[in-house]
């Protein structure tokens, strides 16, 4: 009898819903990476990936075609968010260069800029995690900034997911591609956790 229970547990872990969701998350990471090749399309890519994962966790249909349709819809205004993100990153780069040059107050300005950029990235991922067709990116980002500040534990989880991507890329660069799906899944999970509080 005990052997039957052990076999059932093993089958549910490797053949069940959780493993299928894990595989879907990795595949979604590949889709996100391909959609990010436009450089300013990363918000739309994460929004489409998050929506795909939300459909999967709620047992709705959907696949590559739905991801592409969501991406096309999200990129219509999402590319502006992508441009703003690159501008913010460039501003932080200037701050870091000022800190390295020894300008008075440079280290403080560099640190503040770096933390602000991390906060904006987290807010962007949280906005992408709840995106739906017809949603305003401006409204999504404003709400996401508030949630980022009000839910520091959830925001930290997303930062940890980003750290996993960075470490994966540092060890074996191709691993960062599927792990992008894990970041999208983490953002979806954090938003669901926040919604249920």
């Amino acid at each position: 009898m005990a052997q039957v229970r052990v076999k059932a547990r093993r089958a549910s872990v490797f053949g069940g819903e959780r493993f299928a969701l894990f595989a879907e998350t990795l595949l979604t990471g590949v889709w996100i990476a391909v959609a990010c090749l436009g450089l300013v399309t990363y918000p739309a890519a994460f929004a489409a990936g998050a929506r795909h994962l939300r459909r999967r966790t709620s047992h709705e249909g959907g696949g590559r075609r739905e991801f592409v349709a969501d991406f096309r819809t999200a990129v219509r205004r999402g590319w502006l968010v992508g441009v703003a993100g690159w501008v913010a990153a460039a501003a932080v780069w200037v701050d870091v260069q000022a800190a390295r040059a020894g300008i008075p107050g440079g280290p403080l300005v560099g640190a503040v800029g770096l933390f602000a950029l991390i906060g904006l990235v987290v807010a962007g991922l949280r906005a992408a995690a709840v995106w739906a067709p017809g949603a305003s990116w401006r409204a999504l980002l404003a709400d996401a900034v508030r949630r980022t500040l009000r839910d520091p534990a959830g925001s930290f989880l997303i930062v940890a997911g980003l750290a996993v991507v960075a470490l994966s890329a540092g060890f074996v660069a191709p691993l960062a591609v599927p792990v992008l799906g894990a970041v999208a899944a983490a953002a979806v999970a954090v938003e669901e956790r926040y919604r249920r509080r």
Side-chain angles (χ1 to χ4, degrees):
M1 191 70 142
Q3 290 177 343
V4 172
R5 288 181 185 166
V6 171
K7 287 181 181 178
R9 284 184 187 158
R10 286 185 184 163
S12 67
V13 170
F14 292 108
E17 187 176 327
R18 290 180 185 168
F19 191 73
L21 182 59
F22 175 70
E24 195 69 34
T25 299
L26 297 179
L27 177 62
T28 302
V30 174
W31 292 348
I32 290 170
V34 169
C36 284
L37 291 176
L39 295 182
V40 295
T41 58
Y42 61 90
F46 274 98
R51 186 148 192 263
H52 173 72
L53 292 173
R54 287 195 322 261
R55 275 196 299 266
R56 285 297 186 184
T57 56
S58 60
H59 304 288
E60 296 175 18
R64 184 178 47 84
R65 287 182 183 166
E66 288 79 9
F67 174 88
V68 170
D70 285 339
F71 174 73
R72 286 181 179 161
T73 302
V75 83
R76 288 187 190 127
R77 299 267 186 218
W79 70 271
L80 293 169
V81 178
V83 169
W86 284 114
V87 168
V92 169
W93 183 81
V94 169
D95 287 346
V96 170
Q97 295 307 313
R100 286 181 151 182
I103 294 175
L108 177 63
V109 171
V112 168
L114 190 59
F115 281 113
L117 181 63
I118 291 169
L120 288 174
V121 169
V122 170
L125 286 169
R126 291 185 84 140
V130 297
W131 176 86
S136 161
W137 278 101
R138 181 176 293 176
L140 287 174
L141 287 167
D143 290 342
V145 167
R146 284 190 286 276
R147 289 192 306 274
T148 299
L149 297 172
R150 291 178 183 163
D151 181 23
S155 298
F156 177 76
L157 290 172
I158 295 174
V159 171
L162 292 169
V164 168
V165 170
L167 290 172
S168 299
F171 288 122
V172 181
L175 279 180
V177 171
V179 174
L180 289 173
V183 173
V188 168
V190 163
E191 286 301 310
E192 183 63 23
R193 174 185 160 273
Y194 184 81
R195 188 180 65 81
R196 291 184 179 187
R197 286 187 349 175

